[in-house]
Amino acid sequence: MVERPASVVRELLDNALDAGATQITVRLSAGGVRLIAVEDDGAGIAPHEMPVALRRHATSKIASLAELEAVGTMGFRGEALAAVNSIAELSLLSRQAGEGGAWLLDGGTGELRAAARNPGTTVEVRELFFSVPARRKFLKSDATELAHCIEAVRRHALARPDVGFAIWHEGKLIEQWRAQAGADALDRRVADVLGDDFLAQSVALELRAGPVHVTGRAGVPDIARSRADQQFAYVNGRFVRDKVIVHAARAAYEDVLHGQRQPVYVLHIAIDPARVDVNVHPTKIEVRFRDGREVHQAVRHAIENALAAPRAALLAESALTTAAMPSDVSNFKPFVPPAPVLQAQAAIHFEARTGHVVQELQALWQPGAASVSAPAATEVEPAPDWPLGRAVAQLHGIYILAENHAGLIVVDMHAAHERIVYERLKGQLDSNRIASQPLLIPATFAATPTEVATAEGATAALQQLGLEITPFSPKTLAVRAVPTSLAAGDPVELARSVLAELAQHEAATVVQRAQHELLATMACHGAVRANRRLTLDEMNALLRQMEATERSDQCNHGRPTWRQLSLRELDGLFLRGR
């Protein structure tokens, strides 16, 4: 199906890749309307097969019914060259390896004559839509059509890093991606096509789940976009726009993206060709899976696992290597407050103030030590190289300022602690029930009829969430137990918020359908509030928890929890070195 020049480019690239090409050159004129020429160094076409290649319903890629049911090639219908030949001036130049010379076929006259060429094939298409001029009225400007052609090549280039691609327009080279080899070939091709920034701000992913193998890179939430124009998904090397994959990817980013931002990713899905139907769309842009659930779960888990690890260590290391460090960087020491940092007690102190006592944080703060004796006031305590550094101050009761070897770390303390509480609640919920703590004195409140009905009808769901809310009178509810992690919060405010969320969902499926929303609401109430003054010990305890908590780089609503300012950026603010 020929819609625009990019449609022709896509079909010709498919054929070149199927022919085993290792280098493909695309030459265009007037955005592809005047000229599209695709040259490859593939296997070539035998002279007696060249006229057949332009016939309708002819293909050399499917020889049996079994191959039709398990298509393993990029192009397969046999319609592309015939369709293009009917609306443009097409010529086919090809030579097989070992043959004495090449042959040139004129698509209009059918004349076949000897020519000169290295082994491979060149398909040249001139004056697209010359026989149907009305179709040209629907084409955009040359620049727009050229952009679509480039995008078609980019999509193929991301799928095949082992193949070199070059794009020429009006005799000028505008894009070139050299063939890559080795274990990091895909990463280098991603950097070439999408930029070094994408590679630096994305994480590698890989997952095998039954017959599905998912690889690629997932962009961190910070680089999400307003449009879904940087989402590349491939099934057995073919670029697709599939609802199952898009939904799975969106679900994986569900609680780390802000608002309606769109994630960016490059996903390669390898699956038995017999388990996917690639012949369901005229442009081959859509596929149908035999078992969509297995693909959905594999894609979602692959991205979730890749995004789960805190990026503090990685980004701090990157900032350190790229920052312009002082000449005496080897002697650089983070600021150490004069007062001793009682590390083991600090973690417990912070947790106690926010209602979350977790003894295991002692090991995260300083493994193997139950307490730290206070050094003399003039003694400098050794500073471990923590990714998020050591806290030095609190700004307006909202931000924690910390320094590491790369520069300055700024942390939104409420957003950071909200994520910590949220991940803890999720972990408890995965164990079928959140730990609950009975209240010594039940908290009662005047409830609306909707709240009373919701509490009575969602008892099981509330218990799973660690809440016990029972009628105290016809118009009053009593909160008798709350999640242990939220014991220090306001039980009435928490109960009202959760009941409001429950009222929007069926109680029988509330945990499955509204897990993220409900737990995010609960975590927000349990997180340390703005304007709460923390000691340095408590601030450091929060930083250590962030380093050990999954997805701690974003809060539950997708906002960043911390930012790194490198020494180079700080020097620039004060014009140092100028």
Side-chain angles (χ1 to χ4, degrees):
M1 183 176 181
V2 180
E3 299 174 334
R4 61 195 329 156
S7 304
V8 178
V9 172
R10 182 185 64 247
E11 295 287 354
L12 297 183
L13 288 174
D14 285 348
N15 289 341
L17 292 173
D18 285 339
T22 60
Q23 177 63 45
I24 300 175
T25 300
V26 179
R27 302 183 187 276
L28 305 168
S29 179
V33 178
R34 298 296 181 189
L35 170 69
I36 301 173
V38 176
E39 308 168 1
D40 67 63
D41 59 354
I45 307 174
H48 67 279
E49 292 182 347
M50 292 175 67
V52 182
L54 302 185
R55 297 179 187 173
R56 295 190 62 194
H57 311 299
T59 180
S60 62
K61 301 175 184 180
I62 297 176
S64 66
L65 179 61
E67 292 182 358
L68 181 62
E69 294 177 344
V71 175
T73 55
M74 297 291 291
F76 48 84
R77 286 197 181 87
E79 295 285 335
L81 293 181
V84 174
N85 190 42
S86 66
I87 58 172
E89 299 173 357
L90 184 147
S91 63
L92 187 62
L93 174 63
S94 187
R95 175 185 175 184
Q96 288 187 310
E99 294 292 329
W103 293 87
L104 176 65
L105 175 67
D106 187 316
T109 64
E111 178 186 0
L112 184 66
R113 63 178 186 271
R117 192 199 191 282
N118 291 329
T121 301
T122 299
V123 181
E124 190 174 282
V125 179
R126 292 184 178 274
E127 301 300 329
L128 193 63
F129 299 131
F130 86 97
S131 60
V132 280
R135 297 276 295 275
R136 283 198 174 185
K137 297 180 181 180
F138 294 93
L139 295 178
K140 305 299 182 182
S141 66
D142 289 355
T144 299
E145 296 301 335
L146 173 62
H148 283 286
C149 291
I150 295 174
E151 181 64 18
V153 183
R154 290 172 78 233
R155 291 174 177 178
H156 283 75
L158 285 172
R160 294 293 301 273
D162 59 318
V163 178
F165 294 84
I167 307 175
W168 293 74
H169 186 249
E170 305 295 359
K172 297 180 180 179
L173 180 65
I174 56 175
E175 290 285 1
Q176 184 175 24
W177 303 301
R178 301 186 185 280
Q180 305 290 345
D184 62 342
L186 179 59
D187 284 353
R188 282 183 281 140
R189 175 55 58 83
V190 166
D192 288 343
V193 176
L194 301 181
D196 292 330
D197 288 344
F198 176 85
L199 186 65
Q201 299 186 75
S202 63
V203 289
L205 59 90
E206 181 173 10
L207 178 74
R208 289 187 181 273
V212 185
H213 184 203
V214 184
T215 57
R217 299 196 69 88
V220 299
D222 292 352
I223 63 169
R225 301 167 66 88
S226 59
R227 297 187 301 153
D229 58 346
Q230 292 284 348
Q231 298 177 355
F232 299 89
Y234 300 86
V235 176
N236 293 338
R238 179 180 289 104
F239 176 83
V240 297
R241 288 283 190 195
D242 180 75
K243 294 180 180 179
V244 171
I245 298 173
V246 171
H247 186 273
R250 183 69 190 183
Y253 279 91
E254 186 173 17
D255 63 349
V256 294
L257 277 188
H258 184 60
Q260 298 301 314
R261 303 285 288 175
Q262 294 292 329
V264 299
Y265 51 77
V266 178
L267 299 177
H268 291 272
I269 302 170
I271 187 172
D272 182 353
R275 301 182 68 85
V276 56
D277 184 359
V278 299
N279 201 21
V280 297
H281 193 273
T283 63
K284 299 178 290 188
I285 197 69
E286 297 179 6
V287 296
R288 181 181 294 121
F289 297 105
R290 178 183 297 179
D291 187 346
R293 179 182 295 272
E294 66 182 11
V295 176
H296 187 281
Q297 291 181 341
V299 171
R300 178 172 182 173
H301 291 159
I303 298 177
E304 282 181 339
N305 295 344
L307 295 176
R311 300 190 310 278
L314 178 63
L315 295 185
E317 179 182 355
S318 175
L320 177 61
T321 56
T322 58
M325 301 296 290
S327 58
D328 59 343
V329 65
S330 59
N331 297 322
F332 175 76
K333 297 292 184 182
F335 170 78
V336 180
V341 180
L342 302 181
Q343 298 170 338
Q345 287 89 336
I348 300 176
H349 183 203
F350 176 77
E351 286 296 318
R353 283 190 60 176
T354 55
H356 316 305
V357 181
V358 280
Q359 300 291 337
E360 64 269 17
L361 289 175
Q362 298 182 49
L364 294 176
W365 188 242
Q366 181 174 342
S371 63
V372 178
S373 58
T378 58
E379 185 177 339
V380 178
E381 183 183 51
D385 190 16
W386 288 310
L388 292 181
R390 184 186 298 277
V392 296
Q394 187 179 20
L395 182 64
H396 290 293
I398 300 174
Y399 300 105
I400 294 173
L401 306 182
E403 70 169 353
N404 60 4
H405 284 293
L408 176 68
I409 295 284
V410 183
V411 177
D412 182 333
M413 69 180 195
H414 173 74
H417 194 238
E418 187 177 10
R419 169 60 71 176
I420 292 170
V421 175
Y422 181 45
E423 290 299 325
R424 185 176 301 134
L425 290 173
K426 285 203 304 184
Q428 294 174 355
L429 188 61
D430 289 341
S431 302
N432 297 324
R433 185 169 179 171
I434 292 176
S436 180
Q437 176 176 319
L439 297 179
L440 183 62
I441 301 176
T444 60
F445 63 97
T448 65
T450 300
E451 289 174 332
V452 173
T454 302
E456 292 177 341
T459 302
L462 288 170
Q463 288 178 347
Q464 279 191 289
L465 295 171
L467 281 164
E468 183 181 350
I469 305 175
T470 59
F472 188 77
S473 72
K475 295 183 179 180
T476 306
L477 290 176
V479 184
R480 301 184 181 277
V482 296
T484 302
S485 298
L486 307 181
D490 184 339
V492 173
E493 185 182 357
L494 174 63
R496 285 189 181 278
S497 298
V498 172
L499 289 174
E501 295 284 349
L502 280 168
Q504 301 178 19
H505 302 276
E506 296 180 7
T509 58
V510 64
V511 175
Q512 290 76 21
R513 293 181 56 194
Q515 173 179 336
H516 293 292
E517 293 85 352
L518 285 168
L519 296 190
T521 298
M522 296 166 68
C524 186
H525 287 289
V528 60
R529 295 296 183 181
N531 298 320
R532 169 177 284 182
R533 295 295 176 179
L534 302 179
T535 67
L536 285 175
D537 295 0
E538 292 167 338
M539 287 185 269
N540 279 311
L542 179 61
L543 297 178
R544 303 293 78 77
Q545 291 178 58
M546 290 176 63
E547 292 166 352
T549 300
E550 292 185 347
R551 305 173 186 86
S552 61
D553 306 291
Q554 269 75 32
C555 75
N556 316 338
H557 314 293
R559 295 187 295 106
T561 59
W562 65 277
R563 282 287 188 259
Q564 170 87 61
L565 290 175
S566 68
L567 290 177
R568 172 182 294 174
E569 293 170 312
L570 294 173
D571 288 345
L573 292 175
F574 296 96
L575 305 180
R576 288 179 60 88
R578 299 185 184 180

